[in-house]
Amino acid sequence: GRGGGGADDDDQEQPREQDRFLPVANIARIMKRVLPANEKISREAKDAVQECVSEFISFITSEASEKCKNEKRKTINGEDILSGMETLGFDDYVEPLTMYLQKYKAVTKGAKGAASSSSAESPQLPVESPPASVTSPSASASAPAFLPPNAFAGAMGPSGS
């Protein structure tokens, strides 16, 4: 390449791997939550899940974006994501995520009403376990087991009362 630019000039459109994928350390932490303490996860398994999770997010977001474009809107919201999941056949995930979204909205609405000087902080959802249908494969044959027990607790931080 000219002027030291090299291949970077040709593939400016291509995002860097760290921009396309979620951090593998975060994914490994989530994976380890559901394993017994003495089990290990290979680098290959972590990398495979990292790629799958990132592709899944892109897939769902693309569907939600299409819905927004058809409705002449520019902002994707939670309902658009859930609609995209339903359209793409991920119906089993829609109900538990709808409940989560409702709780999130209730908490953020309360946080806006009690605005403080730390308005840049994320609202905190109550620490609790998700419904059994979400975490227990035996709860229902069709229920997804995509969240480990106390999944909301780790992601949402301490409960603020």
Side-chain angles (χ1 to χ4, degrees), residues 91-144:
D91 304 25
D92 290 344
Y93 296 86
V94 174
E95 184 182 343
L97 290 173
T98 299
M99 293 184 323
Y100 178 84
L101 183 59
Q102 289 169 348
K103 287 181 181 182
Y104 177 81
K105 285 180 174 184
V107 169
T108 57
K109 187 176 181 183
K112 286 179 185 173
S116 66
S117 59
S118 61
S119 59
E121 285 185 33
S122 304
Q124 298 295 310
L125 284 177
V127 176
E128 61 184 61
S129 295
S133 65
V134 175
T135 59
S136 172
S138 61
S140 164
S142 64

Side-chain angles (χ1 to χ4, degrees), residues 3-4 12 14 21 27 44 66 72 74 85-86 92 96 120 131 149 159:
Q12 262 183 333
Q14 292 290 350
F21 297 140
I27 291 166
E44 179 184 28
E66 195 63 35
K72 298 184 180 2
K74 293 186 177 191
M85 292 180 81
E86 199 165 27
D92 290 344
S159 176

Side-chain angles (χ1 to χ4, degrees), residues 5-25:
D8 291 340
D9 293 338
D10 296 333
D11 57 2
Q12 262 183 333
E13 300 279 323
Q14 292 290 350
R16 298 175 305 174
E17 184 171 310
Q18 64 262 36
D19 294 334
R20 283 187 334 151
F21 297 140
L22 294 172
V24 74

